[in-house]
Structure formats: C-alpha cells, structure tokens
Amino acid sequence: MNAAVLPVKRFGAAKQRLAAGIDDERRRELVAAMLADVLEAIGAARQVDRAFVVSDEPRARELAVAAGAEVVPDPGEDGHRGAARAGIDAAVAAGATRVVLVPVDCPLLDPRELDRLLTGMPHPYVAVVPDRHGEGTNALALSPPDAIPPSFGEGSRARHVALAREAGIPYGVEELPSLALDLDTPADVVALTRELTARPGRARRTARVLGI
C-alpha cells in the first residue's frame, strides 16, 4: 500500500519568510489554499492509496477530512522531521509498504507525475525529488517507509542521498517539474504567479488567493 504523508505547520507559523510582502491573514489563506490544492492532486493520483496529514492546525485538519485524508496529531517535537516521522509511523501502522512525503507548499503538483514516481519503484529504494535550486528536497519517497530517516531543511538533497548511501539502499534523484517550485520567499511567489498566469487552470485555490 502506498501512502502520502503531509506534515503541516500551524498556519500562523507557516511561511514566515513571506511576511514582508503578504499580510498575516492573506498568508494563512494562501497556506490553506495550497494545502487544498495539494490534497486534491494527491486524491487524483492513482498510485496513492491513503493520505495522512500531520498537523495540530484546526483548519488543516478540516481540509484533510474534507479531502478524505487521515489526520495525525503533530508530536510537536523536532519540527518538520518529527511530524514526518509521526506520519510515517501512522502510515506503517495502517499497512503502508511505501510512503511519499509531500510538501504543502507545492500547489502545482501534478498527480500524473506522482504516479510516475511511484509506479514500479524498486524495493528497497529512496527517491529524492529536489527543489528548483537543486539543494533542498521537495518530496521524498521511501520503500520501505523506514529506508532512511527524513532529514528536511537546508541542504537536504545531499543529506538524503548520503543517508541512502550509508544505509546501502539504492536511490535516485528524480526531477519532477510540478514539485520543483515550492513557496518560501517573495521571489517564489513571483515565479508561481508567472507559472499560473502562463498556464491557467492549475492550483485554482492558490491562484484565487494570489489574485490570478
């Protein structure tokens, strides 16, 4: 069984680097819109059997339930990594043999690309999906779910590759265009706005909040 895991911060604490250009209320609306768009894409992916949202944010929990995802309490320890581990544990307890950790801030996610990532994935295997700068990790697929410990944050692409090598597990750096652009800085907002303007119809909720 394939499971998607989405760690989600409380909206008030999320995306602080956007605060310079987006007021707090609109920033919370943007995070909610991105989460809804990502959950919709995951729901359309044929290779994802179940989704787990790890969060103590009430609105995130509501959106998860509305999308048919399962809610896991955020342990509140070790930030994103701790939330990722809690989601993996819940997925394993539900019978998952493979997990993919998906970010909430990649609203352009294409379910077909997610399907291609998971279809025929070897066992064991680690798939590292980098960000557009080539240094971070925007998604991490693990087969089995405990192949390596998730280690998100600055420089995580190299760190995940090193962890797979140390564990002796085959790995690949998989380029997924729809997962390359995550929203962290005002420059990312500009880039996302350009993408949504050039190709309308994608990430409808996110586009609406951005005024597109």
Coordinates of all heavy atoms in Angstrom, one line a residue, residues 51-115:
A51 N -3.8 8.9 2.4 CA -3.1 10.1 2.7 C -3.2 10.5 4.2 O -4.3 10.3 4.8 CB -3.6 11.3 1.9
F52 N -2.1 11.0 4.7 CA -2.0 11.3 6.2 C -1.5 12.7 6.3 O -0.5 13.0 5.8 CB -1.1 10.3 6.9 CG -1.6 8.9 6.9 CD1 -1.3 8.1 5.8 CD2 -2.3 8.3 7.9 CE1 -1.7 6.8 5.7 CE2 -2.7 7.0 7.9 CZ -2.4 6.2 6.8
V53 N -2.3 13.5 7.0 CA -1.9 14.9 7.2 C -1.6 15.0 8.7 O -2.4 14.7 9.6 CB -3.1 15.9 6.9 CG1 -2.7 17.3 7.4 CG2 -3.4 15.9 5.4
V54 N -0.3 15.4 9.0 CA 0.2 15.6 10.3 C 0.1 17.0 10.7 O 0.9 17.9 10.2 CB 1.6 15.0 10.5 CG1 2.0 15.1 11.9 CG2 1.7 13.6 9.9
S55 N -0.8 17.4 11.6 CA -1.0 18.8 12.0 C -1.8 19.0 13.2 O -2.7 18.1 13.5 CB -1.6 19.5 10.8 OG -1.7 20.9 11.1
D56 N -1.6 20.1 13.9 CA -2.4 20.5 15.0 C -3.2 21.8 14.6 O -3.8 22.4 15.5 CB -1.6 20.7 16.3 CG -1.2 19.4 17.0 OD1 -1.9 18.4 16.8 OD2 -0.2 19.4 17.7
E57 N -3.1 22.1 13.4 CA -3.8 23.3 12.9 C -5.3 22.9 12.6 O -5.5 22.1 11.7 CB -3.1 23.8 11.6 CG -4.0 24.8 10.8 CD -4.3 26.1 11.5 OE1 -3.4 26.7 12.1 OE2 -5.5 26.5 11.4
P58 N -6.2 23.5 13.3 CA -7.6 23.1 13.1 C -8.1 23.2 11.6 O -8.8 22.3 11.2 CB -8.4 24.1 14.0 CG -7.4 24.5 15.0 CD -6.1 24.5 14.3
R59 N -7.8 24.2 10.9 CA -8.2 24.3 9.5 C -7.6 23.3 8.7 O -8.2 22.7 7.8 CB -8.0 25.7 9.0 CG -8.7 26.0 7.7 CD -8.7 27.4 7.3 NE -9.4 27.6 6.0 CZ -9.3 28.7 5.3 NH1 -8.6 29.7 5.8 NH2 -9.9 28.9 4.2
A60 N -6.3 23.0 8.9 CA -5.7 21.9 8.1 C -6.3 20.6 8.4 O -6.5 19.8 7.4 CB -4.2 21.8 8.5
R61 N -6.7 20.3 9.6 CA -7.4 19.1 9.9 C -8.8 19.0 9.2 O -9.2 18.0 8.7 CB -7.6 19.0 11.4 CG -6.2 18.8 12.1 CD -6.3 19.1 13.6 NE -7.0 18.0 14.3 CZ -6.3 16.9 14.9 NH1 -5.0 16.9 14.8 NH2 -6.9 16.0 15.5
E62 N -9.5 20.2 9.2 CA -10.8 20.2 8.5 C -10.6 19.9 7.0 O -11.4 19.2 6.4 CB -11.4 21.6 8.7 CG -11.9 21.8 10.1 CD -12.4 23.3 10.3 OE1 -12.4 24.0 9.3 OE2 -12.7 23.6 11.4
L63 N -9.6 20.6 6.4 CA -9.3 20.3 4.9 C -8.9 18.9 4.7 O -9.3 18.3 3.6 CB -8.2 21.3 4.5 CG -8.6 22.8 4.4 CD1 -7.4 23.7 4.2 CD2 -9.6 23.0 3.3
A64 N -8.2 18.3 5.6 CA -7.7 16.9 5.4 C -9.0 16.0 5.4 O -9.1 15.1 4.5 CB -6.8 16.5 6.5
V65 N -9.8 16.2 6.4 CA -11.0 15.3 6.5 C -11.9 15.5 5.3 O -12.4 14.5 4.7 CB -11.8 15.6 7.8 CG1 -13.1 14.9 7.8 CG2 -11.0 15.2 9.0
A66 N -12.1 16.7 4.8 CA -12.9 17.0 3.6 C -12.3 16.3 2.4 O -13.1 15.9 1.5 CB -13.0 18.5 3.4
A67 N -11.0 16.2 2.3 CA -10.4 15.6 1.2 C -10.3 14.1 1.3 O -9.7 13.4 0.4 CB -9.0 16.2 0.9
G68 N -10.7 13.5 2.4 CA -10.6 12.1 2.6 C -9.3 11.6 3.2 O -9.0 10.4 3.1
A69 N -8.5 12.5 3.6 CA -7.2 12.2 4.3 C -7.4 11.9 5.7 O -8.4 12.3 6.3 CB -6.2 13.3 4.1
E70 N -6.4 11.2 6.3 CA -6.5 10.9 7.7 C -5.6 11.9 8.5 O -4.6 12.3 8.0 CB -6.0 9.4 8.0 CG -6.9 8.4 7.3 CD -6.4 7.0 7.3 OE1 -6.1 6.5 8.3 OE2 -6.3 6.4 6.2
V71 N -6.0 12.2 9.7 CA -5.4 13.2 10.5 C -4.5 12.6 11.6 O -5.0 11.7 12.3 CB -6.4 14.2 11.1 CG1 -5.7 15.2 12.0 CG2 -7.2 14.9 10.0
V72 N -3.3 13.0 11.7 CA -2.4 12.6 12.7 C -1.9 13.7 13.6 O -1.5 14.8 13.0 CB -1.1 11.9 12.0 CG1 -0.1 11.4 13.1 CG2 -1.6 10.8 11.1
P73 N -2.0 13.7 14.9 CA -1.5 14.8 15.7 C -0.1 15.0 15.5 O 0.7 14.1 15.4 CB -1.8 14.3 17.1 CG -2.8 13.2 17.0 CD -2.6 12.5 15.7
D74 N 0.3 16.3 15.5 CA 1.7 16.7 15.4 C 2.3 16.5 16.8 O 1.9 17.0 17.8 CB 1.8 18.2 15.0 CG 3.2 18.6 14.6 OD1 4.2 18.0 15.2 OD2 3.4 19.5 13.8
P75 N 3.4 15.7 16.9 CA 4.0 15.5 18.2 C 4.6 16.7 18.8 O 4.9 16.7 20.0 CB 5.1 14.4 17.9 CG 5.4 14.6 16.4 CD 4.1 15.0 15.8
G76 N 4.9 17.7 17.9 CA 5.4 19.0 18.5 C 6.9 18.9 18.9 O 7.4 19.8 19.5
E77 N 7.6 17.9 18.4 CA 9.0 17.8 18.7 C 9.8 17.6 17.4 O 9.4 16.9 16.5 CB 9.2 16.6 19.6 CG 8.5 16.6 21.0 CD 8.7 15.4 21.8 OE1 9.4 14.4 21.3 OE2 8.3 15.3 22.9
D78 N 10.9 18.3 17.3 CA 11.8 18.2 16.2 C 11.2 18.7 14.9 O 11.6 18.3 13.8 CB 12.3 16.7 16.0 CG 13.6 16.6 15.2 OD1 14.3 17.7 15.1 OD2 13.9 15.6 14.7
G79 N 10.3 19.6 15.0 CA 9.8 20.3 13.9 C 9.3 19.5 12.8 O 8.5 18.5 13.0
H80 N 9.6 19.8 11.5 CA 9.2 19.1 10.3 C 9.6 17.6 10.4 O 8.8 16.8 10.0 CB 9.7 19.8 9.1 CG 9.2 19.3 7.8 ND1 8.1 19.9 7.1 CD2 9.5 18.2 7.1 CE1 7.8 19.2 6.0 NE2 8.7 18.2 6.0
R81 N 10.8 17.4 10.8 CA 11.3 16.0 10.9 C 10.4 15.1 11.8 O 10.1 14.0 11.5 CB 12.7 15.9 11.3 CG 13.7 16.7 10.4 CD 15.1 16.6 10.8 NE 15.9 17.5 10.1 CZ 17.3 17.6 10.2 NH1 17.9 16.8 11.1 NH2 18.0 18.5 9.5
G82 N 10.1 15.7 13.0 CA 9.3 14.9 13.9 C 7.9 14.7 13.4 O 7.3 13.6 13.5
A83 N 7.3 15.7 12.7 CA 6.0 15.5 12.1 C 6.0 14.4 11.0 O 5.1 13.6 10.8 CB 5.5 16.8 11.5
A84 N 7.1 14.5 10.2 CA 7.3 13.5 9.1 C 7.3 12.1 9.7 O 6.7 11.1 9.2 CB 8.5 13.8 8.3
R85 N 8.1 11.9 10.8 CA 8.2 10.6 11.4 C 6.9 10.1 11.9 O 6.5 8.9 11.8 CB 9.3 10.6 12.5 CG 10.7 10.7 11.9 CD 11.7 10.4 13.0 NE 11.6 11.3 14.1 CZ 12.4 12.4 14.2 NH1 13.3 12.7 13.2 NH2 12.3 13.3 15.2
A86 N 6.1 11.0 12.5 CA 4.8 10.7 13.1 C 3.9 10.2 11.9 O 3.1 9.2 12.1 CB 4.2 11.8 13.8
G87 N 3.9 10.9 10.8 CA 3.1 10.5 9.7 C 3.5 9.1 9.1 O 2.7 8.3 8.7
I88 N 4.8 8.9 9.0 CA 5.3 7.6 8.5 C 4.9 6.5 9.5 O 4.4 5.4 9.0 CB 6.8 7.6 8.4 CG1 7.3 8.6 7.3 CG2 7.4 6.2 8.2 CD1 8.8 8.8 7.2
D89 N 5.0 6.7 10.8 CA 4.6 5.7 11.8 C 3.1 5.4 11.6 O 2.7 4.2 11.7 CB 4.8 6.2 13.2 CG 6.3 6.2 13.5 OD1 7.1 5.6 12.8 OD2 6.7 6.9 14.5
A90 N 2.2 6.4 11.4 CA 0.8 6.2 11.2 C 0.5 5.4 9.9 O -0.3 4.5 9.9 CB 0.1 7.5 11.2
A91 N 1.3 5.7 8.9 CA 1.1 5.0 7.6 C 1.5 3.6 7.7 O 0.8 2.7 7.2 CB 1.9 5.7 6.5
V92 N 2.6 3.3 8.4 CA 3.0 1.9 8.6 C 2.0 1.2 9.4 O 1.7 0.0 9.1 CB 4.4 1.9 9.3 CG1 4.8 0.5 9.7 CG2 5.5 2.5 8.3
A93 N 1.5 1.8 10.5 CA 0.5 1.1 11.3 C -0.8 0.8 10.5 O -1.5 -0.2 10.8 CB 0.1 2.0 12.5
A94 N -1.0 1.6 9.4 CA -2.2 1.3 8.6 C -1.9 0.3 7.5 O -2.7 0.0 6.7 CB -2.7 2.6 8.0
G95 N -0.6 -0.1 7.4 CA -0.2 -1.1 6.4 C 0.5 -0.7 5.2 O 0.8 -1.4 4.2
A96 N 1.1 0.6 5.3 CA 1.8 1.1 4.1 C 3.2 0.4 4.0 O 3.8 0.1 5.0 CB 2.1 2.6 4.3
T97 N 3.5 0.0 2.8 CA 4.8 -0.6 2.5 C 5.7 0.4 1.7 O 6.9 0.2 1.5 CB 4.6 -1.8 1.6 OG1 3.9 -1.5 0.4 CG2 3.9 -2.9 2.4
R98 N 5.1 1.6 1.4 CA 5.9 2.6 0.7 C 5.2 4.0 1.1 O 4.0 4.1 1.1 CB 5.9 2.5 -0.8 CG 6.6 3.5 -1.6 CD 6.4 3.3 -3.1 NE 7.0 2.0 -3.5 CZ 6.4 1.3 -4.5 NH1 5.3 1.7 -5.1 NH2 7.0 0.2 -4.9
V99 N 6.0 5.0 1.4 CA 5.5 6.3 1.6 C 6.1 7.4 0.8 O 7.3 7.2 0.4 CB 5.6 6.7 3.1 CG1 4.9 5.7 4.0 CG2 7.1 6.8 3.5
V100 N 5.4 8.4 0.5 CA 6.0 9.6 -0.2 C 5.6 10.8 0.7 O 4.4 11.0 1.0 CB 5.5 9.7 -1.6 CG1 4.0 9.8 -1.7 CG2 6.1 10.9 -2.3
L101 N 6.6 11.5 1.1 CA 6.5 12.7 1.9 C 6.3 13.9 0.9 O 7.2 14.1 0.1 CB 7.7 12.9 2.8 CG 7.8 11.9 3.9 CD1 9.2 11.7 4.3 CD2 6.9 12.3 5.1
V102 N 5.2 14.6 1.0 CA 4.8 15.6 0.1 C 4.7 16.9 0.8 O 4.0 17.0 1.9 CB 3.5 15.2 -0.7 CG1 3.1 16.3 -1.7 CG2 3.6 13.9 -1.3
P103 N 5.2 18.0 0.3 CA 5.1 19.3 0.9 C 3.7 20.0 0.6 O 3.1 19.7 -0.4 CB 6.2 20.1 0.3 CG 6.3 19.6 -1.1 CD 6.0 18.1 -1.0
V104 N 3.3 20.8 1.6 CA 2.1 21.6 1.4 C 2.3 22.7 0.4 O 1.3 23.3 -0.1 CB 1.5 22.0 2.7 CG1 2.5 23.0 3.4 CG2 0.1 22.6 2.6
D105 N 3.5 23.2 0.2 CA 3.8 24.4 -0.5 C 4.2 24.2 -1.9 O 4.9 25.1 -2.5 CB 4.8 25.3 0.2 CG 6.2 24.6 0.4 OD1 6.2 23.4 0.1 OD2 7.1 25.2 0.8
C106 N 3.8 23.1 -2.5 CA 4.0 22.9 -4.0 C 2.6 22.7 -4.6 O 2.3 21.6 -5.0 CB 4.8 21.6 -4.2 SG 6.6 21.8 -3.7
P107 N 1.8 23.8 -4.8 CA 0.5 23.6 -5.3 C 0.4 23.2 -6.7 O -0.7 22.9 -7.2 CB -0.1 25.0 -5.0 CG 1.1 25.9 -5.1 CD 2.2 25.2 -4.5
L108 N 1.5 23.3 -7.5 CA 1.4 22.9 -8.9 C 1.5 21.3 -9.0 O 1.5 20.8 -10.2 CB 2.6 23.5 -9.6 CG 2.6 25.0 -9.7 CD1 3.9 25.5 -10.4 CD2 1.4 25.5 -10.4
L109 N 1.6 20.6 -7.9 CA 1.7 19.1 -8.0 C 0.8 18.5 -9.0 O -0.4 18.7 -9.0 CB 1.5 18.5 -6.6 CG 1.4 17.0 -6.5 CD1 2.8 16.4 -6.9 CD2 1.0 16.5 -5.1
D110 N 1.4 17.7 -9.9 CA 0.6 17.0 -11.0 C 0.5 15.6 -10.5 O 1.5 14.9 -10.4 CB 1.4 17.1 -12.3 CG 0.6 16.5 -13.5 OD1 -0.2 15.6 -13.3 OD2 0.9 16.9 -14.6
P111 N -0.7 15.1 -10.4 CA -0.9 13.7 -9.9 C -0.3 12.7 -10.9 O 0.2 11.6 -10.4 CB -2.4 13.5 -9.8 CG -3.0 14.6 -10.6 CD -2.0 15.7 -10.5
R112 N -0.2 13.0 -12.1 CA 0.4 12.1 -13.1 C 1.9 11.9 -12.8 O 2.5 10.8 -13.0 CB 0.2 12.5 -14.5 CG -1.3 12.5 -14.9 CD -1.5 13.3 -16.2 NE -1.2 14.7 -16.1 CZ -1.3 15.6 -17.0 NH1 -1.8 15.2 -18.2 NH2 -1.0 16.9 -16.8
E113 N 2.6 13.0 -12.4 CA 4.0 12.9 -12.1 C 4.2 12.1 -10.8 O 5.1 11.3 -10.7 CB 4.6 14.3 -11.9 CG 4.7 15.0 -13.2 CD 5.5 16.3 -13.0 OE1 5.9 16.7 -11.9 OE2 5.7 17.0 -14.1
L114 N 3.3 12.2 -9.8 CA 3.3 11.4 -8.6 C 3.2 10.0 -8.9 O 3.9 9.1 -8.4 CB 2.3 11.9 -7.6 CG 2.4 11.5 -6.2 CD1 3.8 11.9 -5.6 CD2 1.3 12.1 -5.4
D115 N 2.2 9.7 -9.8 CA 2.0 8.3 -10.3 C 3.3 7.7 -10.9 O 3.7 6.6 -10.7 CB 0.8 8.2 -11.2 CG -0.5 8.3 -10.5 OD1 -0.6 8.0 -9.3 OD2 -1.5 8.6 -11.2

